[in-house]
Amino acid sequence: MEQDGGESGAASQRSPTRDGGGCAPGRKIPADGEVISGQATVDQSTITGESMPVEAAAGSRVFAATIASLGSLRVRVSRVGVDTTFGRVIKMVEEAEAQRADVQRIADKFSAWYLPVVTVIAALTFLIRRDPLATAAVLVVACSCSFALATPIAMLASVGAGARRGLLIKGGKYLETLAQANVLLIDKTGTLTLGRPRIERITPLGAFSSEQVLSLAAAAEHDSEHPLAEAVRQARRLQNAPALPSESFQAIPGLGVQAQVNGQKVRVGSLRMFQSEPFFADLQAHSSPASQQGKTELFVVCADQPAGVLTAEDTLRSEVPAALEQIRGMGIRQIELLTGDNQQTAAALAGALGIAYRANLLPEDKIAIVKAYQQQGSIVVMVGDGVNDAPALAQANVGIAMGAAGSDVAIEAAHIALMRDDWALVPEVFQIARRTMGVVKANLLFTMVYNVVGLSLAATGILPPILAAAAQSLPDIGILGNSARLLRTKK
Ligand code: ADP
Ligand code: MG
């Protein structure tokens, strides 16, 4: 089952081995997991909507319902069936279909009223005109179901089209809210930046060596899922600094981490994490102007002794400026960067993008800012990576999670999850929301006009019952046709 090379179709007949599932060329990967060995090109478009296949090799994560070709993989399965990312997407889309948007509720109320109104019009027609045929035509031509259909059909089309593009929209109501949004809040690490920072400088302090600083920091970061933690662990591997065991790991959201390494308390985090420590001034003195260039400094403290400073650099996602420009063009003027990083780093980045910023924020500060905007009557969209932004994403009127494939928190907390890390999807989802609401309004208007004209013609005897019956399906056909436009996804 190792390395099949080539596209040998015969390999697809082999059965999985005991210790790991096998994925042979040209077959759908049956479960989520991590590649143990082998190499293949994986078409992940079912999950991410991205048609460019990705290379998978040992250590890569693969997802159920994606297709491996040009090689074979040996995969350690982590999730099967409904628990896989694909399974969750299906469940969420099903739930989304059951969600009712506000416009839908209004339409439902309206259709409940509509029936008695039609009955009254029919009764009046009979009383005034004494014409049973016209009365019958009134009853036949009235089409209340199209009011009920106008919204859900459009929403359904958009949710479905979105899922194919790698946009998981958890309910039509979020499209409705998104179309009215006026504030966009953006998280930094992993959202505006690639979230793959690299440690580019190590400044040891006191009696510590660079190697020791890396070993200690990487041990403390061993269990953290933060992108900065991965950067520290990677730096240790690259520099071949010894790996140390750690225990009692604790993450301090928005500040850093701490753990016991060789029996000593090691802390790694922002300057702010050590605000109330006696050695704070000492650390501050070692903070360099690096942060003015948009870099992030991590301070390493071992047993209350400053041990070193790690300078991390992350790259801005290249699609961000164009995406923000498009969003601004749609009339969303208030765009703000919210970050737990320091003032200078935030200022450098926000300045380059021409947006406002707030720095030194803890996760709860982000929630408070979202709430403050909402209290002013703003409709807030928040874009985050879901790692520690989940509460703010959930608080926002619409929370959008980046790169949600494989991330449980992001898929759960966000209202809209982008299954691939691509900022171009953000303006796209704004556009989908606007187009959807446009179609909903057109559907409702069409139904309204049809009913008014139809009822008038029927009541006056111009429209005979047979034609009225035929005309009755007109609004449904119109609504279906109009809504189907939303199924067309632009490439
Ligand atoms: P953002 O708001 O930009 O996504 P976070 O809230 O995740 O940033 O983190 C804010 C700051 O807290 C980081 O810039 C870093 O200084 C510090 N920090 C958070 N988690 C860690 C960690 N695991 N290791 C080191 N520092 C961390
Ligand atoms: Mg973040």
Side-chain angles (χ1 to χ4, degrees):
M1 199 75 222
E2 311 286 346
Q3 284 289 130
D4 269 278
E7 296 132 286
S8 120
S12 59
Q13 300 310 318
R14 300 184 191 184
S15 58
T17 47
R18 214 172 296 140
D19 56 337
C23 299
R27 288 190 76 182
K28 278 210 180 89
I29 297 176
D32 283 5
E34 189 183 320
V35 177
I36 309 171
S37 63
Q39 213 163 10
T41 305
V42 182
D43 174 356
Q44 299 192 325
S45 57
T46 36
I47 302 274
T48 61
E50 172 60 62
S51 46
M52 273 293 284
V54 294
E55 289 301 319
S60 310
R61 297 180 68 180
V62 290
F63 302 107
T66 59
I67 296 165
S69 57
L70 302 175
S72 74
L73 301 171
R74 215 175 145 95
V75 175
R76 181 178 294 115
V77 170
S78 59
R79 279 190 289 222
V80 296
V82 289
D83 294 329
T84 60
T85 294
F86 189 67
R88 279 151 182 271
V89 169
I90 291 178
K91 187 172 139 261
M92 300 280 178
V93 171
E94 278 171 3
E95 280 170 9
E97 289 167 6
Q99 289 249 11
R100 321 212 106 205
D102 271 346
V103 260
Q104 196 169 337
R105 275 191 220 108
I106 296 169
D108 287 352
K109 266 194 204 134
F110 187 85
S111 45
W113 269 98
Y114 190 66
L115 208 60
V117 169
V118 170
T119 317
V120 170
I121 295 176
L124 288 177
T125 306
F126 187 74
L127 288 177
I128 298 167
R129 303 202 52 231
R130 298 276 159 197
D131 180 352
L133 278 186
T135 310
V138 165
L139 288 173
V140 171
V141 82
C143 182
S144 70
C145 60
S146 50
F147 281 108
L149 206 61
T151 313
I153 286 291
M155 302 268 177
L156 201 65
S158 286
V159 169
R164 268 189 285 141
R165 301 271 305 131
L167 282 162
L168 178 54
I169 304 162
K170 291 212 220 152
K173 67 175 179 192
Y174 300 114
L175 290 175
E176 189 183 0
T177 316
L178 196 60
Q180 301 158 351
N182 52 359
V183 175
L184 176 65
L185 304 178
I186 307 168
D187 165 63
K188 183 179 81 77
T189 315
T191 305
L192 271 190
T193 62
L194 283 176
R196 286 197 294 272
R198 283 180 326 117
I199 303 295
E200 56 154 38
R201 192 144 53 99
I202 304 157
T203 317
L205 301 176
F208 291 86
S209 70
S210 291
E211 196 175 63
Q212 279 172 320
V213 174
L214 270 183
S215 286
L216 291 169
E221 297 277 20
H222 187 267
D223 294 321
S224 168
E225 85 293 22
H226 201 278
L228 286 168
E230 180 49 36
V232 175
R233 294 191 296 254
Q234 186 194 29
R236 182 202 65 78
R237 288 195 297 269
L238 289 177
Q239 310 262 326
N240 280 321
L244 300 175
S246 64
E247 53 188 44
S248 328
F249 167 80
Q250 205 187 336
I252 305 150
L255 291 175
V257 295
Q258 71 173 50
Q260 293 289 332
V261 182
N262 281 344
Q264 286 176 314
K265 182 164 100 177
V266 175
R267 285 179 283 174
V268 186
S270 65
L271 191 58
R272 202 164 163 236
M273 177 160 159
F274 306 103
Q275 223 165 16
S276 50
E277 299 290 345
F279 51 82
F280 180 70
D282 189 16
L283 281 186
Q284 202 171 21
H286 287 99
S287 171
S288 74
S291 51
Q292 280 157 16
Q293 298 148 25
K295 294 171 188 172
T296 302
E297 286 178 318
L298 300 180
F299 295 83
V300 186
V301 171
C302 177
D304 292 333
Q305 294 290 318
V309 187
L310 305 176
T311 308
E313 185 167 18
D314 202 355
T315 334
L316 182 70
R317 288 178 195 271
S318 56
E319 337 83 72
V320 171
L324 289 182
E325 205 43 60
Q326 252 181 301
I327 293 169
R328 254 188 228 114
M330 287 187 253
I332 292 158
R333 298 265 161 235
Q334 187 64 36
I335 305 181
E336 204 169 294
L337 166 65
L338 304 185
T339 179
D341 214 334
N342 66 61
Q343 191 78 18
Q344 290 93 329
T345 312
L349 203 68
L353 292 169
I355 58 178
Y357 70 92
R358 283 189 236 190
N360 287 320
L361 301 174
L362 297 177
E364 56 263 37
D365 299 330
K366 295 186 186 179
I367 304 176
I369 292 170
V370 173
K371 281 189 181 153
Y373 270 117
Q374 288 169 332
Q375 267 150 20
Q376 290 165 20
S378 294
I379 295 179
V380 182
V381 178
M382 164 110 195
V383 186
D385 60 7
V387 174
N388 52 19
D389 303 318
L393 288 181
Q395 174 65 38
N397 299 78
V398 181
I400 302 179
M402 295 287 295
S407 158
D408 294 351
V409 218
I411 295 188
E412 293 301 330
H415 306 121
I416 296 177
L418 311 184
M419 304 309 279
R420 106 183 96 100
D421 264 345
D422 183 356
W423 258 85
L425 289 176
V426 181
E428 190 173 326
V429 71
F430 272 92
Q431 231 140 32
I432 291 179
R434 278 155 201 239
R435 277 175 60 209
T436 310
M437 294 321 290
V439 166
V440 165
K441 281 181 192 144
N443 283 352
L444 287 172
L445 187 71
F446 179 64
T447 307
M448 202 94 81
V449 170
Y450 162 85
N451 277 284
V452 169
V453 173
L455 285 174
S456 317
L457 292 180
T460 48
I462 300 173
L463 191 69
I466 297 285
L467 276 186
Q472 214 240 18
S473 53
L474 262 182
D476 293 351
I477 294 169
I479 283 172
L480 286 175
N482 192 34
S483 305
R485 293 191 298 132
L486 294 168
L487 286 172
R488 268 208 320 258
T489 51
K490 62 175 169 76
K491 272 281 162 258

